Amino acid sequence: MSPSSSSCSQAKTLRIGIIGFGPFAQFLAKNLIKQGHFIRATSRSDYSELCSNLGILFFRDMGAFLESDNEIIIISTSILSLSRVVESMPFHCLKRPTLFVDVLSVKEHPKDVLLQILPEECDLLCTHPMFGPESGKDGWTDLTFMYDMVRIRDQPLCSFFLHVFSSEGCKMLEMTCEEHDRLAARSQFLTHTIGRILSEMDVEPTPIDTKGFQKLVQVKESSVKDSFDLFSGLFIHNRFARQQMKNLEVALEKVKEKLQERSKMRQDPIIPKF
């Protein structure tokens, strides 16, 4: 069902829980609150004070969080900790069939984990908002929101949730988790890899920077702002990432070979001395 369909033409106040309350979840929660939704959160770290200031009910205990009657639960853990967190959740505490939504940067991994562990009566929507606190600080208009309705029986509830993003002007892109990871390996993972390489090279601005070099510095700075855990997750849990790493290595060798061949061709002939 399209998020622009008539069933979601009007907003509905949603009871939304968030598992994992790091920077992205905080950024997302602030916008959900502005839209009038009721938010609850739980996390490994104690965000009680922050949540209190935002008007969010924070739970230290996962069981109590699941008992709090959320219609929708957003999973915003790190990629690397997803399996551990989900496996430890006491799903028997749920009071209703719930729509689970993951917002991780890889998609096949959370889909496989959640389909295996979630109770059968729970729906699953896999998503990737292709923006964050920095790129979305001035609004979400024209920013891409990818989603895959993996297991949806409560279509109206799913549509109401998608409307959260379409109503903010997001470009809504329905895509399979497999296709997302295939494309993300060639875009997001490759960008992070280049950024990390530039960081290892200690690339810094110079007084004679070209526009192209300034963009490279921006790629480096943007990449290192994210944790190495995120970068590791993009590599470990996207089966297409390893091939992209190999492609990058092969491409570098080809460029080096071409330069070496051209260098040999341009060498000045040795003039014998008489």
Side-chain angles (χ1 to χ4, degrees), residues 64-76:
F65 169 80
L66 293 178
E67 288 178 342
S68 63
D69 201 26
N70 299 293
E71 296 173 283
I72 299 168
I73 292 179
I74 297 174
I75 298 180
S76 186

Side-chain angles (χ1 to χ4, degrees), residues 19 63 68 81 111 127 133 165 172 192 212 224 226 228 242 256 260:
I19 299 175
S68 63
S81 67
K111 173 186 173 182
T127 78
F165 298 90
M172 307 300 289
H192 276 262
V224 297
D226 290 317
F228 199 82
R242 286 173 174 76
K256 288 166 59 178
Q260 290 167 355

Side-chain angles (χ1 to χ4, degrees), residues 184-201:
R186 299 179 61 182
S187 57
Q188 186 184 28
F189 172 71
L190 189 59
T191 301
H192 276 262
T193 302
I194 296 297
R196 291 287 172 176
I197 292 171
L198 294 173
S199 176
E200 291 295 331
M201 295 173 63

Side-chain angles (χ1 to χ4, degrees), residues 241-274:
R242 286 173 174 76
Q243 185 60 51
Q244 288 305 313
M245 185 70 82
K246 292 178 182 177
N247 292 347
L248 181 62
E249 294 170 349
V250 169
L252 178 59
E253 288 302 317
K254 286 183 177 179
V255 170
K256 288 166 59 178
E257 289 173 5
K258 289 180 179 180
L259 287 174
Q260 290 167 355
E261 290 175 3
R262 183 58 59 90
S263 178
K264 291 178 182 178
M265 291 172 57
R266 298 290 294 178
Q267 284 179 354
D268 293 328
I270 298 176
I271 301 176
K273 294 180 179 180
F274 294 98

